[in-house]
């Protein structure tokens, strides 16, 4: 991204603008202190809109105008450039004056600026400009004394407009800096979550709790209505929605963007997709027509490898994504992709350590244990031959047989250790088991796991996907915050909701430090949103430790066919 051009020194600009005031009327000279005081106060607003409101009000008071309006252009390169104004601020002594302010801006566009005067000098328009860049237009109309705007009025407003342009430019630079810092902090937070959340279903062999974390973060940073993570579809060539973050149920989870969609080849080629007209080209094709407004999709790419895509959309009628936001979203996605590749390498290293340890144990069993057992059997056989007591010989013979059987069992175990680890069984049980096993790596111990009822038969695919994501979130929270020594996971397919409907209930309890008062609860909020999207609920209470120390998270949703 090109560096922003340095802002001119406000004193130099103001000095240049005021050179033409020399020799003007005593009326203008008398108003200069008010002008200088107004210029000093312009840049002290807490946000851009407050600064604009102060500029309009100050201009009207300086020249005695009954009404004033300011239209500010979109920043250069924004998607909405040429599609209206980024902001409009008005001032009027009466409601009728304020309602007529839109006519001022329309007149300015028709007659042009600077200093385009209407009939009898009753209208004045000047540009808000710094150097060659124009930020907008300031318009005034209707002198309070009924007279026309004078040349002194025009000079005063031009000086004020010059300083106002500097204030607006400075506010925009500050806003862009804060926005960039937020996206950088968000990328760091997601990277930490991906590298500490263990393995699981997802991109490049597993994102752990990543999909929901990434979706929520991109939605937050983009100030959008929804955040979505899409992963490559198995065998279909398209992209499938793996996680959705939204205030209201979207129904998008599990839906696919088919390979024939125009967006897919562009995303897989590492190119962003901007949807400016959602009515003609809704997010995810026709799956959510009319639900969202301006949308942005960026690839999760690292080098030549595309791991998936991020999508975010604002509500209907929302403002378009600016050029700065599009660039920041692309940088965020690139950072997430790098974190995913690093997480994959980290999981591969952990897997290699496990395989090497299995191989070492197999060698030790073969070289030490089996050989010693075999030697013990030979000694017993020798003792048997030398014994004259039938009872002793019979007992030694049984001991030799037992040793032979033990040697065979150890050899079987050695063979099993030398094979690749078996695949986790398919179905919800297998997916839950995989998440719990993966959590043991960062936790340093294996959580206990209990299934109640026919989990695989009763729980549908959509509910199962949410349950696995909720489990992943709960285990990730326990690892990052709880400092627990014991975790118990229970999946109960025989549960009932408060209204009596059959449900599946997930409980993740630990003996850690518990949820601190006033602490962040974004993870718990994510769990609640997932449950509520299915018609269920989520809550937390006392944990497994002494006196209820720790946290027990309960997540439940109705079973398919029961209102889910």
């Amino acid at each position: 991204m090109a560096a922003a051009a340095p802002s001119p020194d406000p004193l130099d600009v103001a000095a240049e603008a005021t050179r033409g005031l020399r020799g003007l009327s005593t009326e203008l000279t008398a108003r200069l202190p008010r002008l200088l005081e107004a210029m000093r106060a312009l840049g002290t607003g807490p946000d851009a809109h407050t600064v604009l409101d102060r500029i309009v009000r100050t201009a009207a008071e300086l020249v005695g105008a009954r009404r004033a309006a300011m239209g500010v252009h979109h920043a250069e390169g924004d998607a909405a450039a040429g599609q209206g104004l980024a902001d409009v601020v008005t001032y009027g002594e009466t409601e009728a004056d304020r309602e007529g302010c839109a006519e001022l801006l329309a007149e300015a566009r028709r007659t042009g600026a600077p200093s385009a005067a209407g009939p009898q000098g009753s209208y004045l328009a000047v540009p808000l400009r710094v150097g060659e860049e124009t930020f907008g237009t300031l318009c005034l109309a209707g002198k309070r004394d009924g007279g026309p705007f004078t040349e002194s009025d025009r000079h005063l407003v031009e000086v004020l407009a010059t300083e106002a342009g500097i204030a607006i430019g400075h506010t925009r630079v500050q806003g862009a800096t804060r926005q960039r810092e937020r996206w950088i902090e968000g990328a760091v937070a997601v990277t930490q979550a991906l590298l500490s959340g263990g393995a699981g279903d997802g991109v490049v062999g597993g994102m752990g709790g990543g999909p929901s974390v990434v979706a929520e973060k991109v939605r937050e940073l983009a100030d959008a209505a929804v955040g979505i993570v899409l992963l490559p579809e198995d065998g279909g060539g398209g992209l499938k929605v793996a996680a959705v973050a939204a205030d209201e149920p979207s129904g998008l989870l599990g839906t696919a963007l088919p390979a024939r969609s125009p967006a897919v080849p562009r995303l897989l080629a590492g190119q962003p997709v901007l949807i400016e007209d959602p009515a003609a080209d809704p997010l995810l094709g026709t799956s959510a027509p009319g639900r969202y407004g301006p949308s942005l999709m960026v690839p999760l790419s690292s080098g030549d490898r595309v791991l998936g895509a991020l999508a975010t959309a604002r509500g209907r009628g929302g403002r378009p994504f600016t050029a700065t936001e599009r660039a920041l979203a692309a940088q965020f996605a690139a950072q997430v992709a790098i974190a995913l590749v690093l997480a994959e390498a980290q999981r591969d290293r952990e897997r290699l350590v496990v395989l090497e340890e299995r191989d070492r144990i197999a060698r030790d069993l073969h070289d030490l244990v089996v050989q010693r057992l075999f030697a013990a059997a030979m000694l017993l056989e020798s003792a048997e031959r030398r014994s004259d007591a039938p009872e002793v010989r019979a007992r030694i013979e049984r001991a030799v047989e037992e040793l032979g059987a033990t040697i065979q069992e150890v050899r079987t175990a050695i063979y099993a250790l030398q094979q690749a680890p078996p695949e986790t069984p398919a179905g919800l049980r297998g997916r839950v088991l995989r998440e719990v096993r993966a959590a043991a790596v960062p936790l340093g111990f294996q959580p206990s796991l209990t299934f109640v009822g026919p989990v695989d038969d009763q729980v549908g695919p959509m509910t199962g996907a949410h349950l696995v994501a909720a489990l992943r979130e709960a285990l990730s929270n326990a690892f990052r915050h709880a400092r627990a020594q014991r975790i118990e996971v229970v999946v109960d397919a025989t549960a009932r909701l408060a209204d009596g409907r059959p449900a599946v209930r997930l409980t993740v309890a630990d003996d850690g430090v518990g949820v601190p008062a006033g602490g962040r609860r974004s993870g718990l909020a994510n769990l609640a949103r997932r449950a509520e999207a299915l018609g269920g609920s989520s809550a937390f209470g006392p944990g497994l430790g002494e006196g209820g120390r720790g946290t027990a998270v309960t997540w439940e949703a109705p079973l398919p066919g029961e209102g889910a």
Side-chain angles (χ1 to χ4, degrees):
M1 185 183 301
S7 299
D9 189 321
L11 294 178
D12 293 342
V13 177
E16 178 66 26
T18 54
R19 285 193 183 102
L21 299 178
R22 297 170 184 169
L24 294 179
S25 67
T26 56
E27 173 198 0
L28 178 58
T29 304
R31 287 193 284 177
L32 279 178
R34 290 182 61 198
L35 172 64
L36 294 175
E37 176 62 24
M39 290 168 62
R40 185 190 67 81
L42 279 183
T44 60
D47 54 61
H49 193 84
T50 301
V51 172
L52 299 181
D53 183 73
R54 185 170 293 164
I55 292 169
V56 171
R57 182 179 297 274
T58 301
E61 291 173 351
L62 273 175
V63 299
R66 289 196 309 271
R67 54 195 176 108
M70 179 188 296
V72 179
H73 303 162
H74 289 278
E76 184 178 356
D78 282 359
Q83 301 178 13
L85 299 170
D87 200 359
V88 174
V89 181
T90 61
Y91 167 80
E93 295 182 344
T94 66
E95 186 66 28
D97 287 341
R98 289 189 290 273
E99 291 176 355
C101 284
E103 300 174 4
L104 295 180
L105 296 174
E107 180 71 11
R109 287 194 295 270
R110 187 181 65 81
T111 60
S115 303
Q120 292 81 45
S122 62
Y123 164 80
L124 184 63
V126 295
L128 304 173
R129 180 183 294 159
V130 176
E132 298 299 320
E133 184 174 3
T134 300
F135 288 102
T137 306
L138 173 62
C139 308
L140 301 103
K143 294 272 285 188
R144 292 192 188 96
D145 59 9
F149 287 104
T150 66
E151 192 69 11
S152 296
D153 292 332
R154 183 178 67 82
H155 277 287
L156 278 175
V157 174
E158 284 180 342
V159 173
L160 182 65
T162 300
E163 182 65 18
I166 296 172
I168 294 171
H170 181 63
T171 301
R172 280 187 171 176
V173 169
Q174 285 185 322
T177 300
R178 287 193 296 268
Q179 187 180 43
R180 188 174 294 107
E181 289 173 350
R182 286 179 63 245
W183 281 89
I184 292 173
E185 291 171 356
V188 171
V190 169
T191 299
Q192 291 175 340
L194 291 177
L195 294 179
S196 64
D201 292 337
V203 179
V204 286
M207 288 179 74
S212 58
V213 172
V214 174
E216 181 60 40
K217 184 58 68 174
V218 74
R219 169 179 174 262
E220 172 191 335
L221 294 173
D223 190 23
V226 64
I228 301 170
V229 174
L230 299 104
L231 306 180
E233 189 178 19
D234 293 338
L239 295 170
K240 188 175 182 179
V241 176
V244 179
D247 286 333
E248 299 179 357
S250 65
L252 292 173
L253 188 64
T255 60
L257 195 61
R260 65 178 180 276
S261 170
V264 170
R266 291 188 59 186
L267 290 170
L268 295 181
Q271 301 174 1
V273 176
L274 179 65
I275 302 172
E276 299 182 24
D277 184 5
D281 188 10
L283 178 67
L284 299 184
T286 59
S287 62
R291 178 177 298 168
Y292 299 115
S295 308
L296 176 64
M297 307 176 84
V298 290
L300 286 166
S301 58
S302 177
D304 296 331
R305 188 179 181 189
V306 177
L307 311 175
L310 300 183
T312 185
R314 295 193 166 115
R316 281 183 296 178
R319 61 182 178 84
F321 289 94
T322 66
T324 298
E325 289 172 327
R326 299 198 303 273
L328 291 173
Q331 293 170 2
F332 174 82
Q335 180 63 38
V336 171
I338 292 172
L340 289 172
V341 173
L342 292 176
E344 179 186 30
Q346 176 177 290
R347 286 189 296 273
D348 287 343
R349 287 194 300 271
E350 292 167 354
R351 182 181 177 87
L352 181 60
V353 168
V354 171
L355 292 175
E356 289 176 345
E357 183 65 10
R358 288 162 62 99
D359 191 55
R360 184 193 64 79
I361 294 171
R363 288 197 308 271
D364 289 348
L365 284 173
H366 181 271
D367 296 342
L368 300 176
V369 178
V370 171
Q371 297 300 328
R372 288 180 179 177
L373 288 173
F374 187 72
M378 292 182 65
L379 287 173
L380 286 172
E381 286 179 346
S382 176
E384 179 189 6
R385 289 194 297 269
R386 296 178 182 179
S387 176
D388 295 329
E391 183 179 351
V392 173
R393 295 183 64 179
R395 290 183 177 180
I396 292 176
E397 184 177 355
R398 284 198 301 272
V400 171
E401 290 176 354
E402 290 294 332
L403 283 173
T406 302
I407 291 172
Q408 185 59 42
E409 290 174 359
V410 172
R411 284 176 172 167
T412 301
I414 292 172
Y415 176 77
L417 285 170
Q418 290 173 334
Q419 307 306 305
E423 292 295 326
T424 304
L428 181 57
R429 282 176 178 265
R431 295 166 65 192
V432 169
L433 181 60
R434 182 163 53 239
E435 293 296 333
V436 173
R437 284 177 177 171
V441 176
L443 286 170
F445 63 90
Q446 182 70 53
S448 70
L449 173 61
T450 303
F451 292 102
V452 180
V455 173
D456 285 337
D457 295 335
Q458 294 289 336
V459 183
M462 183 67 70
T463 304
H466 278 285
L467 185 146
V468 171
L471 171 62
R472 193 180 294 153
E473 181 85 37
L475 290 173
S476 178
N477 288 340
F479 163 66
R480 287 182 289 167
H481 308 300
R483 299 196 294 275
Q485 301 298 315
R486 182 162 62 104
I487 296 177
E488 294 181 359
V489 178
V490 179
V491 180
D492 185 358
T494 66
R496 295 269 175 180
L497 297 179
D499 58 10
R501 287 180 295 164
V504 59
R505 179 178 296 127
L506 167 69
T507 305
V508 181
D510 64 63
D511 63 351
V513 298
V515 179
R520 294 183 59 187
R521 285 171 166 78
S522 57
L524 296 173
N526 289 340
L527 293 173
R529 278 196 293 269
R530 284 189 175 278
E532 291 164 3
L534 298 170
S537 63
S538 180
F540 67 94
L544 301 172
E546 184 177 353
R549 189 183 75 254
T551 306
V553 176
T554 302
W555 184 97
E556 58 186 14
L559 292 173
E562 301 292 341

